[in-house]
Amino acid sequence: MNLVVNGDAESGPGGTAEPVGTVTGWRVVQGAPALVAYTLGGGYPTTSDPGPARRGSRFFSGGNAPRTALLQDVALPSGGATGHAAVDAGRVRYALSAWLGGYATQDDGARLSVEFRDGRGTPVALSVLGPVTAAERKGRTGLLERTAGALVPPGARTARLLLVLTRTGTGTSNDGYADGISLTLTGVPQ
């Protein structure tokens, strides 16, 4: 089960390139995100550009700010095969995945990190995906999948997701894009 709320940009206001004030499930900590429809056109990714095979109707964009950042804190399950006891025994793996990208030959990009924290909020591990460069996209507009995974560190009780969309060049549009953000846990047999 995906622990990320609205990792696909489908919920809440949006659908255009205009920035939104709030993003369902996320806290806007910097900038002006936009939840852009794949049908918008005008140079934005479409359903025929590289991206998730099973994409919804929208994706995250940096809007019109040089740097846009969205934050989400996720409580890890307290019980069951992926609960606290299993985490502390080193028997839970996490899988982090996201589709990250940008526009044409520009290096505007998206970076996603997950920071595991203990019960006091102290960071105990960090994993970072992206950004995907224009060279990696072969100069095409679109999104490429990036993944990471490992054991959840013993003592972890929450996961802090930070999505940062950055404009590197000139212009007013921040063409860092993201979609399909997922964090899942799996119990490891003894």
Side-chain angles (χ1 to χ4, degrees):
M1 178 177 89
N2 186 3
L3 299 176
V4 180
V5 175
N6 195 27
D8 55 7
E10 296 299 308
S11 299
T16 71
E18 292 301 312
V20 295
T22 61
V23 178
T24 302
W26 298 84
R27 184 163 44 105
V28 179
V29 293
Q30 185 178 15
L35 307 178
V36 180
Y38 280 106
T39 57
L40 186 63
Y44 287 100
T46 67
T47 54
S48 62
D49 289 313
R54 300 175 70 183
R55 67 187 98 191
S57 63
R58 303 189 305 193
F59 59 92
F60 295 98
S61 164
N64 59 12
R67 185 175 189 271
T68 293
L70 302 173
L71 182 73
Q72 184 173 144
D73 286 314
V74 176
L76 301 183
S78 59
T82 59
H84 296 169
V87 165
D88 294 346
R91 294 195 325 261
V92 178
R93 287 190 61 80
Y94 74 90
L96 179 68
S97 67
W99 289 79
L100 307 173
Y103 172 74
T105 59
Q106 295 178 0
D107 269 325
D108 293 7
R111 186 184 77 235
L112 177 70
S113 63
V114 62
E115 181 180 78
F116 289 96
R117 295 173 167 223
D118 66 16
R120 294 178 306 281
T122 304
V124 293
L126 176 69
S127 187
V128 180
L129 303 178
V132 171
T133 65
E136 291 172 303
R137 290 183 280 106
K138 298 180 174 44
R140 289 192 60 191
T141 297
L143 298 95
L144 302 179
E145 187 177 28
R146 294 294 181 255
T147 61
L151 286 175
V152 176
R157 296 297 180 260
T158 62
R160 172 165 281 185
L161 292 132
L162 180 63
L163 176 62
V164 178
L165 307 148
T166 305
R167 180 174 70 218
T168 60
T170 59
T172 58
S173 183
N174 178 338
D175 293 308
Y177 307 138
D179 199 0
I181 298 169
S182 174
L183 175 65
T184 59
L185 303 179
T186 307
V188 177
Q190 293 186 20

